[in-house]
Amino acid sequence: HVQLVESGGGSVQAGGSLRLACAASGYTKGNNCMGWFRQAPGKEREGIATIITLLHNTYYADSVKGRFTISEDNPKNTVYLQMNNLEPEDTAIYYCAAGRGACDRFDGWTNFWGQGTQVTVS
C-alpha cells in the first residue's frame, strides 16, 4: 500500500505561482507513474500532469502545458508540481496519484490517491 500526502496549496492572485508537493510512503517501488489531477467545483476530475518515475519523462494536459512543471525527487519519494502564471480557471482541489501502467495517459494506472489540497486563484 502507498500513502500520498499533498501540501503547498493556498490562495494566490492571477499571474502568481505555487508549488505543490506530494510525499509518498509505503511500498512505492511497485509504481512507475505519479501524477497530478484536479477537480473544480461542479466539474469532473481531470488529469493535468504525469511523470514516469526514475526516467523523469513528463506529460501534460493542454490546459497547463507551458505553465506547469511536474518533477520528482527520488531520494525523498516526493513529486512536485510547479504552477506558474496561474489563472482563475486553475482554481480546484489538486490531487496526487500513484500507480503502475502507461504514464502518458491520465487513466488506467491510478491506484493510490492523496487527500487533495485546495488551490484558489483570484
Side-chain angles (χ1 to χ4, degrees):
H1 193 73
V2 174
Q3 295 80 41
L4 303 173
V5 178
E6 301 100 334
S7 61
S11 298
V12 65
Q13 291 187 338
S17 300
L18 283 173
R19 189 176 81 153
L20 306 182
C22 173
S25 61
Y27 185 70
T28 60
K29 293 183 178 180
N31 302 312
N32 68 318
C33 304
M34 291 193 73
W36 289 95
F37 295 70
R38 67 185 182 186
Q39 187 166 20
K43 294 187 178 180
E44 294 187 353
R45 186 164 56 191
E46 63 168 337
I48 55 174
T50 66
I51 187 167
I52 301 178
T53 58
L54 298 179
L55 295 179
H56 306 297
N57 292 26
T58 59
Y59 306 90
Y60 298 94
D62 289 342
S63 57
V64 304
K65 198 173 294 182
R67 300 188 298 124
F68 292 9
T69 302
I70 187 172
S71 62
E72 62 171 337
D73 184 335
N74 294 124
K76 294 183 179 180
N77 284 332
T78 300
V79 170
Y80 301 96
L81 184 68
Q82 177 67 44
M83 306 185 293
N84 297 329
N85 194 21
L86 283 161
E87 304 167 351
E89 293 73 23
D90 296 316
T91 295
I93 298 175
Y94 284 69
Y95 298 90
C96 175
R100 188 163 191 83
C103 306
D104 59 347
R105 53 188 297 167
F106 296 116
D107 59 2
W109 58 265
T110 53
N111 294 324
F112 305 101
W113 293 90
Q115 81 289 350
T117 185
Q118 177 71 46
V119 171
T120 302
V121 185
S122 60

